[in-house]
């Protein structure tokens, strides 16, 4: 039975790497996958998924007005699709998430979405909010804070300090964001303090 999966984490946990690996595994077995990514994340080009370890994969760019269900139906007509994968799910809109549920429920095709759960202010993104509501399975991909504890927060950083105000969406990598445990997110420490 097909399901909608939401696999979330903080920055630098390997979400994009896992998506690329899952796509490869399907394709190696002769299966067809459709891979999507929101076009807002164009750091490595529009419609490109890149991992920090150097893996890349082309994907179908998702605009705010894109109907993912229609794209799926069109592609499925050409050649049967076995799985849908989507990176950066936090940038989805409610209608995108509902379209993904329709792919699962009406077409019987599994959908796996990877993304952040919360933003740098520790609030849910729209896409994450609806994925948490509608996903059949929710899985955390773990990574660690500089102290070794599990990182659950994403801190936006500027000039070596945590920024707590600003627009929710500012696309960037480890140059702008750092994964932290709750303790160090709250106390603002980005690294172990050096003794004099």
């Amino acid at each position: 039975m097909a399901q909608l999966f939401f696999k979330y984490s903080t920055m630098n946990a390997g979400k994009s790497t896992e998506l690329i690996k899952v796509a490869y595994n399907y394709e190696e077995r002769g299966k067809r996958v459709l891979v999507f990514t929101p076009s807002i994340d164009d750091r490595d080009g529009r419609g490109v998924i890149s991992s920090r370890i150097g893996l890349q994969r082309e994907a179908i760019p998702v605009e705010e007005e894109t109907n993912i269900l229609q794209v799926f139906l069109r592609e499925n007509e050409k050649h049967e699709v076995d799985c849908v994968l989507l990176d950066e799910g936090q940038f989805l809109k409610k209608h995108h998430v509902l379209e993904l549920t329709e792919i699962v429920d009406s077409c019987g095709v599994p959908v796996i979405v990877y993304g952040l759960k919360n933003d740098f202010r520790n609030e849910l993104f729209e896409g994450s909010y609806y994925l948490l509501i509608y996903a059949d399975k929710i899985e955390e991909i773990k990574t660690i804070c500089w102290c070794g504890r599990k990182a659950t927060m994403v801190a936006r950083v500027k000039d070596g300090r945590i920024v707590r105000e600003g627009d929710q969406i500012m696309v960037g990598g480890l140059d702008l964001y750092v994964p932290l445990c709750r303790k160090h997110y709250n106390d603002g420490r980005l690294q172990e303090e050096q003794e004099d």
Side-chain angles (χ1 to χ4, degrees):
M1 175 180 249
Q3 294 184 314
L4 173 60
F5 297 85
F6 179 37
K7 298 188 178 199
Y8 73 89
S9 71
T10 63
M11 299 287 293
N12 205 32
K15 298 178 296 297
S16 298
T17 301
E18 184 172 322
L19 181 150
I20 293 168
K21 180 183 78 173
V22 169
Y24 176 82
N25 287 338
Y26 266 91
E27 292 169 342
E28 185 180 45
R29 288 164 182 78
K31 305 291 185 185
R32 183 165 183 234
V33 295
L34 278 188
V35 181
F36 294 91
T37 189
S39 62
I40 191 170
D41 186 356
D42 60 0
R43 287 173 286 173
D44 293 303
R46 190 171 172 275
V48 176
I49 296 172
S50 292
S51 71
R52 286 181 180 76
I53 63 170
L55 300 174
Q56 281 194 335
R57 177 172 182 116
E58 288 191 23
I60 299 167
V62 176
E63 308 289 343
E64 190 169 332
E65 66 278 358
T66 300
N67 184 315
I68 297 173
L69 176 60
Q70 287 179 353
V71 174
F72 168 83
L73 292 172
R74 186 175 61 241
E75 292 299 318
N76 195 50
E77 221 172 81
K78 296 176 193 172
H79 188 279
E80 186 176 338
V81 175
D82 297 291
C83 183
V84 173
L85 302 171
L86 196 142
D87 201 24
E88 304 292 355
Q90 71 272 9
F91 297 138
L92 296 177
K93 299 297 180 189
K94 179 181 180 181
H95 74 91
H96 293 131
V97 175
L98 294 175
E99 291 153 13
L100 293 172
T101 65
E102 200 60 31
I103 292 169
V104 171
D105 296 342
S106 296
C107 304
V109 174
V111 175
I112 307 171
V113 180
Y114 297 84
L116 299 174
K117 182 182 69 167
N118 39 299
D119 67 14
F120 76 102
R121 297 172 298 192
N122 205 27
E123 296 176 7
L124 293 174
F125 288 93
E126 179 178 347
S128 304
Y129 175 84
Y130 288 105
L131 285 162
L132 288 167
I133 290 172
Y134 288 104
D136 298 298
K137 295 243 170 109
I138 299 166
E139 179 183 320
E140 181 181 25
I141 300 172
K142 295 174 180 68
T143 192
I144 59 171
C145 177
W146 61 264
C147 69
R149 288 190 186 110
K150 182 174 85 167
T152 57
M153 310 288 174
V154 176
R156 185 179 287 170
V157 179
K158 183 175 181 183
D159 300 326
R161 302 183 64 88
I162 292 179
V163 177
R164 303 210 185 254
E165 294 181 358
D167 292 339
Q168 182 181 48
I169 297 174
M170 181 182 291
V171 176
L174 292 176
D175 56 324
L176 287 176
Y177 297 100
V178 177
L180 295 174
C181 66
R182 181 180 58 239
K183 176 182 177 178
H184 293 121
Y185 173 87
N186 286 334
D187 73 16
R189 286 189 9 203
L190 296 171
Q191 61 187 12
E192 191 169 10
E193 293 170 358
Q194 303 295 321
E195 293 183 26
D196 293 328

